[in-house]
Amino acid sequence: MAARYLLDTNILSRLVRDPQCSIAQRIARVGEAKVCTSIIVACELRHGAARSSSTRLKEQVEAVLGAVEVLPFAADADRHYVAIRDAVERRGLSIGANDLLIAAHARSVDAGAVPLPARRSLPSPKRFQPAPPPPCETAPAPPRAPVPRSAH
């Protein structure tokens, strides 16, 4: 079977915001037939668009979802969910509930999940490896020391 890539919410959100971004160029290189997304991702994108008052955003979400195959949740994804969750928890880590479901879905359809940060090349579809969280744009300010109260 040819490699297939399941695009996550962050990747498709970026395509919604900037249809000409580098992700679009990568999809063109690997071929649109080799990319897909999960119904869970479609739910997240449509929910975000519904919460917005932007008609343009809603149209862009529908355009992106119309251009990518949206896969129904696979029957055996539950077994992959258990395996991934157990592996993550054994390492003392956690990932979001929907991210976990998307990873399980990707594995159940033998697709590589493509999370942000976007990689220079699409990953091997053989197994899911959670990506590190995206880097912060600015480092948070260090906590301030409490100011002592003066006694009057």
Side-chain angles (χ1 to χ4, degrees):
M1 177 179 170
R4 191 139 195 222
Y5 307 100
L6 191 141
L7 306 180
D8 80 354
T9 308
N10 292 326
I11 292 287
L12 289 185
S13 292
R14 184 154 174 220
L15 277 173
V16 166
R17 288 189 311 274
D18 182 7
Q20 304 304 315
C21 68
S22 61
I23 294 168
Q25 296 165 8
R26 290 181 203 161
I27 291 171
R29 275 199 304 272
V30 300
E32 288 182 13
K34 291 186 178 181
V35 298
C36 58
T37 195
S38 170
I39 187 66
I40 298 162
V41 172
C43 290
E44 289 185 316
L45 290 175
R46 285 188 171 118
H47 176 255
R51 291 180 51 202
S52 169
S53 61
S54 170
T55 302
R56 182 182 174 280
L57 175 64
K58 292 171 187 166
E59 290 169 353
Q60 280 297 108
V61 165
E62 292 306 320
V64 167
L65 291 175
V68 176
E69 182 181 5
V70 178
L71 302 177
F73 201 65
D76 66 339
D78 60 331
R79 288 174 173 68
H80 295 285
Y81 174 96
V82 170
I84 294 168
R85 184 171 178 176
D86 286 349
V88 168
E89 288 178 353
R90 273 195 308 271
R91 292 183 184 141
L93 304 172
S94 67
I95 60 175
N98 283 350
D99 292 334
L100 186 55
L101 288 168
I102 293 164
H105 192 182
R107 191 188 266 183
S108 72
V109 297
D110 198 28
V114 183
L116 276 180
R119 299 172 184 187
R120 292 182 187 245
S121 61
L122 294 172
S124 165
K126 297 300 177 195
R127 63 185 185 142
F128 172 77
Q129 294 181 356
C136 294
E137 303 229 347
T138 59
R144 294 183 174 203
V147 176
R149 294 182 174 221
S150 59
H152 292 305

